[in-house]
Amino acid sequence: MERKGSITVFLALTLSVLVVLVSALLESVRVSCGRAHVLNGADVGLYSLFAQYDRELLESYEIFGLYPSVSSEGVPVGQAYKIFEGYMEPVLQVKGISMELGIGGISGYTLLTDYGGQEFLRQSVEVQKQVSEKEGLEWLEEAVQERAKETQGHENVWEESEGGALTEYDQAIDQALEQEAQEEVQEEGFQGDSFQQDPVQTEQAENPIQTIRELMNRGILSLVLENPQEVSWTSVDLSQMLSQRELEKGFAMGNRQEKASALERLLFQRYLLDRMGNYLDPGGGVMKNQVEYILFGKESDGENLKSAANRLLLIREGFNLSYLLSSPEKRAQAQSLALAIASAFLFPPAASIIEKALLVCWSFGESVLDLRELFSGGKIGLWKSADTWQLSLENLIHLPDLLESGHRGDSEGLSYEDYLQVLLFLESTDTQVMRALDQVEMEMRVRKNNSSFRLDYCMTALEVSVEVMIQDRAFTVNRQYGYGNS
């Protein structure tokens, strides 16, 4: 039986509209799916690119940086985009959807050294947060701030006292000698028994001031180190350091950070102490005294160590002089010896001036013993007590011999590293960041056996802009990614 069918014009028009609508919906789905693949491909490309971080930089300092795998005359922006493109393109090969990469490039990037090394500072702070307990950090922050405040005040105590006291002493002695010379001239004018001088009843007192002044003129390292001949004098050309040259700069990322907080500064300084060498725990790179370099920026290990020793001596002198001035017993001993010395010069009015000079010399002698303790790995507290004071006034004149004797430090005091941390806290963090980058770059050049390695070529964040043709339609995607701030 034969059947016949028919369709009205209205239904034909309706079905045509439905076919067009379904086709449009399918096309829209393909385009939307294509866009999702493009975004996914951009992320895959960025993640894969940044997975090629410098392994040695991470292993040595736990810092992420994307460095070119081949030598480059500048920041490897083009090389980085080719790697990104190579990882993105396979993701766009989807059956049923036509996608093709078009024009694109890197529209922004951040370097490890940008804004005075803030990216290096940020990463190092994040690393240190992971290895430090919050409660301990809060306590340590307060302790270091208090130590730094006290230290800064006591440096001024010594600077205000030392020069004036010894200058006044010199003037008093000169005056006594001049007076003695005048009296001798007068004696020659008397005949027979018309004049007879009473003998001085006091014994000739030992005057340690000249001995101490001679020690003050000696090299600091010969005073405070048991084996100064073993000090490293490795030197570098400061003009070639990262902190001294014009650096490459990032572009259009706008991620400059605010000034580091006190806690962030403390974390960064702990990072330096944990990963950089110092005199007692030498570094394995070009320079051994790396923390001392970060503090003082001298061209050799020996010069940086001398600067550290002089600064610590100044600090210890301030604290020790403050203790002497506050100790009635020690003041009484100094007054007694000063009077004996003044009497020996037949110039009693100089006793108070000689007392000041004795206290200055005594605090210097004690400070030298303190530093010998610190540089031998011992501990010395900021404040002294009768129990922790090492040098008696009677032994002050014998200080050169005592330097070879044993040490007697404070088991509850601060170590050399603790004092370095206080010094770091007192100085500019910006300067420390750049000098730390000097040390990192030198170390990496040795490890990689690549003298052209530059930290200002290391990228830490990128922004890409790429055009993709999806079903003959142009679609532009902008994506950015960075270490620790995706």
Side-chain angles (χ1 to χ4, degrees), residues 371-391:
L371 262 64
R372 287 183 76 87
E373 183 72 25
L374 287 176
F375 282 109
S376 66
K379 294 182 178 181
I380 293 293
L382 287 180
W383 289 100
K384 284 296 182 73
S385 66
D387 293 333
T388 58
W389 190 267
Q390 302 179 75
L391 182 63

Side-chain angles (χ1 to χ4, degrees), residues 2 20 24 43 74-75 78 83 86 149 151 175 219 230 292 299 301 317 337 348 356 383 388 402 446 460 465:
E2 185 176 335
V20 172
D43 289 338
V75 181
I83 295 173
K149 182 178 179 180
T151 295
Q175 185 178 351
E230 297 180 0
E292 289 86 347
E299 64 182 8
D301 280 328
E317 286 168 331
L337 181 57
K356 293 179 183 178
W383 289 100
T388 58
L402 295 176
V446 172
T460 59
S465 178

